[in-house]
Amino acid sequence: QVQLVESGGGLVQPGGSLTLSCAASGSTFSSYYMAWFRQAPGKEREFVAAISCRNGRTYYADSVKGRFTISRDNAKNTQYLQMNSLKPEDTAVYYCVVHRNPITIGDYIKGSWGQGTQVTVSS
Protein backbone atom coordinates (compact mmCIF):
# COMPACT_ATOMS: atom_id res chain seq x y z
CA GLN A 1 0.00 0.00 0.00
CA VAL A 2 1.34 3.39 -0.96
CA GLN A 3 0.80 6.56 1.05
CA LEU A 4 0.57 9.93 -0.70
CA VAL A 5 0.97 13.46 0.63
CA GLU A 6 0.24 16.48 -1.55
CA SER A 7 1.67 19.95 -1.01
CA GLY A 8 2.09 23.25 -2.83
CA GLY A 9 -1.48 24.50 -2.95
CA GLY A 10 -2.45 28.02 -2.07
CA LEU A 11 -3.94 31.28 -3.25
CA VAL A 12 -2.79 32.69 -6.58
CA GLN A 13 -3.98 35.47 -8.86
CA PRO A 14 -5.42 34.71 -12.31
CA GLY A 15 -2.60 34.18 -14.77
CA GLY A 16 -0.26 33.03 -12.04
CA SER A 17 1.50 29.71 -11.50
CA LEU A 18 1.73 27.02 -8.86
CA THR A 19 3.53 23.71 -8.61
CA LEU A 20 1.93 20.87 -6.71
CA SER A 21 3.98 18.02 -5.32
CA CYS A 22 2.95 14.52 -4.30
CA ALA A 23 5.34 12.53 -2.16
CA ALA A 24 4.86 8.77 -2.07
CA SER A 25 5.98 6.21 0.49
CA GLY A 26 5.34 2.61 1.39
CA SER A 27 5.76 0.95 -1.98
CA THR A 28 7.72 0.93 -5.21
CA PHE A 29 6.88 4.32 -6.63
CA SER A 30 8.28 3.64 -10.08
CA SER A 31 5.82 0.83 -10.77
CA TYR A 32 2.72 3.01 -10.41
CA TYR A 33 0.87 5.07 -12.93
CA MET A 34 0.21 8.47 -11.36
CA ALA A 35 -2.46 11.07 -11.88
CA TRP A 36 -4.02 14.26 -10.59
CA PHE A 37 -7.72 14.82 -10.13
CA ARG A 38 -9.53 17.86 -8.79
CA GLN A 39 -12.87 18.65 -7.22
CA ALA A 40 -14.44 22.09 -7.15
CA PRO A 41 -17.20 23.00 -4.68
CA GLY A 42 -20.51 21.52 -5.77
CA LYS A 43 -18.94 19.62 -8.65
CA GLU A 44 -17.87 16.05 -9.25
CA ARG A 45 -14.25 15.02 -9.07
CA GLU A 46 -12.61 15.31 -12.48
CA PHE A 47 -9.47 14.04 -14.17
CA VAL A 48 -6.67 16.56 -14.68
CA ALA A 49 -3.55 14.72 -15.85
CA ALA A 50 -1.76 11.36 -15.74
CA ILE A 51 1.68 9.97 -16.43
CA SER A 52 2.67 6.43 -17.35
CA CYS A 53 5.25 4.51 -15.30
CA ARG A 54 6.32 2.53 -18.39
CA ASN A 55 7.21 5.17 -20.95
CA GLY A 56 6.53 8.53 -19.29
CA ARG A 57 3.66 9.26 -21.65
CA THR A 58 1.39 12.01 -20.36
CA TYR A 59 -2.33 12.59 -20.66
CA TYR A 60 -4.29 15.79 -19.99
CA ALA A 61 -7.85 16.96 -19.72
CA ASP A 62 -8.72 19.37 -22.51
CA SER A 63 -9.38 22.10 -19.96
CA VAL A 64 -5.73 22.14 -18.81
CA LYS A 65 -3.87 21.08 -21.95
CA GLY A 66 -1.12 23.54 -22.79
CA ARG A 67 -1.21 25.10 -19.31
CA PHE A 68 -0.45 22.22 -16.92
CA THR A 69 2.50 19.82 -16.99
CA ILE A 70 2.67 16.55 -15.08
CA SER A 71 6.03 14.99 -14.28
CA ARG A 72 7.59 12.48 -11.96
CA ASP A 73 10.93 11.93 -10.25
CA ASN A 74 11.22 8.26 -9.34
CA ALA A 75 14.44 8.83 -7.42
CA LYS A 76 12.58 11.20 -5.09
CA ASN A 77 9.34 9.20 -5.06
CA THR A 78 7.54 12.37 -6.06
CA GLN A 79 5.29 13.54 -8.83
CA TYR A 80 4.55 17.14 -9.75
CA LEU A 81 1.88 19.23 -11.41
CA GLN A 82 3.16 22.50 -12.82
CA MET A 83 0.19 24.81 -13.34
CA ASN A 84 0.58 27.96 -15.45
CA SER A 85 -1.86 30.59 -16.68
CA LEU A 86 -4.22 29.70 -13.88
CA LYS A 87 -7.88 30.65 -14.18
CA PRO A 88 -10.58 31.08 -11.53
CA GLU A 89 -12.21 27.91 -12.83
CA ASP A 90 -9.08 25.98 -11.80
CA THR A 91 -10.05 26.57 -8.18
CA ALA A 92 -10.47 23.17 -6.54
CA VAL A 93 -9.01 20.64 -4.16
CA TYR A 94 -6.33 18.77 -6.10
CA TYR A 95 -5.72 15.09 -5.37
CA CYS A 96 -2.79 12.89 -6.20
CA VAL A 97 -3.65 9.27 -7.04
CA VAL A 98 -1.71 6.17 -8.06
CA HIS A 99 -2.72 2.91 -9.68
CA ARG A 100 -0.67 -0.09 -10.78
CA ASN A 101 -2.37 -0.68 -14.11
CA PRO A 102 -5.28 1.58 -15.00
CA ILE A 103 -7.06 0.69 -18.22
CA THR A 104 -9.31 3.74 -18.18
CA ILE A 105 -9.35 7.01 -16.28
CA GLY A 106 -12.21 5.62 -14.20
CA ASP A 107 -9.91 2.90 -12.84
CA TYR A 108 -8.07 5.51 -10.77
CA ILE A 109 -11.07 5.67 -8.45
CA LYS A 110 -9.89 2.33 -7.05
CA GLY A 111 -6.33 3.54 -6.61
CA SER A 112 -4.58 5.08 -3.61
CA TRP A 113 -5.43 8.73 -2.98
CA GLY A 114 -3.81 11.56 -1.08
CA GLN A 115 -5.70 13.90 1.22
CA GLY A 116 -5.80 16.75 -1.28
CA THR A 117 -4.44 20.28 -1.41
CA GLN A 118 -6.51 23.42 -1.99
CA VAL A 119 -5.80 25.65 -4.98
CA THR A 120 -7.64 28.96 -5.11
CA VAL A 121 -7.33 31.27 -8.11
CA SER A 122 -8.70 34.69 -7.30
CA SER A 123 -7.83 38.35 -7.51
Side-chain angles (χ1 to χ4, degrees), residues 1-2 26-34 51-54 72 74 98-102 112:
Q1 186 74 12
V2 62
S27 189
T28 306
F29 177 82
S30 60
S31 65
Y32 284 90
Y33 287 73
M34 306 198 76
I51 184 166
S52 168
C53 63
R54 296 180 181 179
R72 61 191 296 163
N74 290 338
V98 301
H99 194 292
R100 286 200 178 274
N101 189 27
S112 297

Side-chain angles (χ1 to χ4, degrees), residues 70-89:
I70 187 172
S71 62
R72 61 191 296 163
D73 186 336
N74 290 338
K76 296 182 178 180
N77 284 359
T78 303
Q79 73 155 336
Y80 306 94
L81 185 67
Q82 173 68 42
M83 305 184 295
N84 299 326
S85 302
L86 283 162
K87 306 175 181 180
E89 51 264 42

Side-chain angles (χ1 to χ4, degrees), residues 26-64:
S27 189
T28 306
F29 177 82
S30 60
S31 65
Y32 284 90
Y33 287 73
M34 306 198 76
W36 291 92
F37 282 68
R38 67 186 182 186
Q39 187 167 19
K43 295 187 177 181
E44 293 188 353
R45 195 169 296 188
E46 65 175 0
F47 169 78
V48 175
I51 184 166
S52 168
C53 63
R54 296 180 181 179
N55 54 22
R57 184 175 178 180
T58 56
Y59 308 82
Y60 297 95
D62 288 342
S63 59
V64 306

